[in-house]
Amino acid sequence: MSLSLLFKVQKILRPILLPVSKGYGAAMARRERKYVHGEYERFRPACPCISVGNIGSGGSGKTPLADWLLKWAEREGLKTVLLTRGYGAKPARLPYPVNGFSPVDEAGDEPLMLANANPQAKIIVDPVRKRSGAWAMGEFKPDLMLLDDGFQHMAVERDLDFVLLTPDDFTSGWNQVIPCGTWRESVLGMQRADVFFVKSGPRAFTQMRSLIKQRLAEFGRPVFQFELCAKGLKLLGGGERLGFGSDKYLLFAGIGKPEILREDAVEYMGRKPEEFMIFKDHHAYTAQDVELIRKKAAAMGVKKIICTPKDAIKLTKLGCEDFYVIDLEVEFTESIFFDRTEEAPFNSWWNKQILTDAYSK
């Protein structure tokens, strides 16, 4: 079901869903209090720990931001471990360290992407992250630990909570808790955030600046805009980055919020896709899927079949070397501070001292 259709259904059923939504939000608040008061066991890493998570679900850019942090840590000479549940993964053992040779069905698509892009880091899959965290501390003795999708995973203590939002979270999605909306907890949970990120273009962020300030001023935390900028195309079979061109193309994706990808692709390619095939998030592609994609492309006479890096990682053994993947890079531009700090993009503001100060508190 597309997000737009989901929103329509939620709006129609809101009178029925609202009591459930309020109950869910209250249950999450009680759970948080139990962790805070020590009623639930927590694991404390013996190094700085950053959680990269969100208040809603899907499409907020957690994996690209985690990738950026892993690369920053490497430049700073920090040995880093990233803990992830590995959505959809079926690891042979737990905890499961991922490397570039791990089968995608064992590792999961996003952990394998991160491992391929950051061979110096340790990517560990385990739904019980206090277990994998303790194991990784003993095994690798890291200088930094990252929690992927960790905002609601309070069993591991962290020094900084990076909370990612999308433009929808500030408008129709604001404080709309499951099942009325996509939020995993109510707005009260935002008090735990240390840094906010908004995944949008700089122009959209500027247009929303007053609304963002209105929504987030009470928390007093810095807010940074970031976006995934497409730099070109690459063949799945390897090779140099290529220009987009203006050829007819078929686009397909199994990601959260695919509608945003379609809009972006139109901008990149200068034209609409002849076909946009949407698969469920984290879809496990099969030979039959590839055959269907190829048949549709041939029927429409398209010259390029294009997907995202998240899709590409699952297609490497299905004979898709001639498919194209969008080559993306994270870029930071705008920011909002609620104190006298001079506004600067995240990559200019962020440094090792901020991490050290948070750890020493």
Side-chain angles (χ1 to χ4, degrees), residues 35 39-45 83-85 95 124 126-138 145 147 153-158:
Y35 274 112
E39 296 181 47
Y40 291 159
E41 182 184 356
R42 305 183 79 186
F43 166 67
R44 168 74 253 190
L83 307 180
T84 177
R85 65 171 175 164
I124 312 298
D126 192 337
V128 183
R129 278 171 276 193
K130 63 182 180 182
R131 173 176 61 196
S132 61
W135 177 82
M137 284 302 309
M145 186 168 284
L147 301 180
H153 193 90
M154 288 177 279
V156 177
E157 294 188 47
R158 71 292 311 272

Side-chain angles (χ1 to χ4, degrees), residues 112-318:
L112 186 55
M113 279 176 55
L114 290 171
N116 280 336
N118 303 278
Q120 79 291 343
K122 305 299 181 183
I123 313 299
I124 312 298
V125 168
D126 192 337
V128 183
R129 278 171 276 193
K130 63 182 180 182
R131 173 176 61 196
S132 61
W135 177 82
M137 284 302 309
E139 193 77 13
F140 305 115
K141 297 178 173 55
D143 304 308
L144 173 64
M145 186 168 284
L146 299 180
L147 301 180
D148 174 53
D149 197 10
F151 190 47
Q152 289 78 32
H153 193 90
M154 288 177 279
V156 177
E157 294 188 47
R158 71 292 311 272
D159 303 291
L160 290 168
D161 262 303
F162 287 1
V163 177
L164 282 61
L165 300 156
T166 66
D168 287 341
D169 288 320
F170 292 95
T171 54
S172 59
W174 181 258
N175 202 26
Q176 298 301 304
V177 180
I178 296 169
C180 279
T182 62
W183 280 30
R184 300 171 179 177
E185 54 185 313
S186 77
V187 70
L188 295 175
M190 302 272 264
Q191 296 171 2
R192 303 196 309 274
D194 296 291
V195 181
F196 291 109
F197 293 85
V198 180
K199 181 174 175 282
S200 77
R203 180 181 298 178
F205 184 88
T206 299
Q207 292 172 343
M208 294 183 64
R209 182 175 285 266
S210 61
L211 179 59
I212 293 170
K213 285 184 175 181
Q214 176 187 330
R215 298 292 200 195
L216 301 182
E218 65 178 292
F219 307 110
R221 305 301 190 186
V223 185
F224 297 100
Q225 169 267 333
F226 79 105
E227 62 179 331
L228 304 182
C229 291
K231 300 299 182 179
L233 299 174
K234 283 187 175 181
L235 281 165
L236 267 65
E240 297 296 318
R241 177 189 291 166
L242 307 169
F244 291 109
S246 57
D247 299 321
K248 292 170 64 175
Y249 67 101
L250 179 147
L251 182 69
F252 73 94
I255 60 173
K257 300 188 177 178
E259 297 90 345
I260 296 175
L261 171 66
R262 185 183 185 280
E263 293 172 7
D264 290 343
V266 171
E267 182 178 347
Y268 307 150
M269 302 295 292
R271 61 189 300 167
K272 295 179 181 179
E274 300 304 307
E275 175 85 12
F276 183 25
M277 299 177 65
I278 299 175
F279 296 85
K280 67 178 181 179
D281 195 14
H282 299 281
H283 179 67
Y285 291 97
T286 65
Q288 289 74 27
D289 294 326
V290 173
E291 183 180 5
L292 177 61
I293 292 167
R294 289 192 181 280
K295 282 184 177 180
K296 284 183 175 288
M300 296 177 177
V302 306
K303 293 188 176 181
K304 291 176 179 174
I305 300 173
I306 301 174
C307 64
T308 71
K310 182 174 171 179
D311 301 297
I313 200 73
K314 291 171 285 190
L315 295 166
T316 54
K317 294 183 179 180
L318 292 174

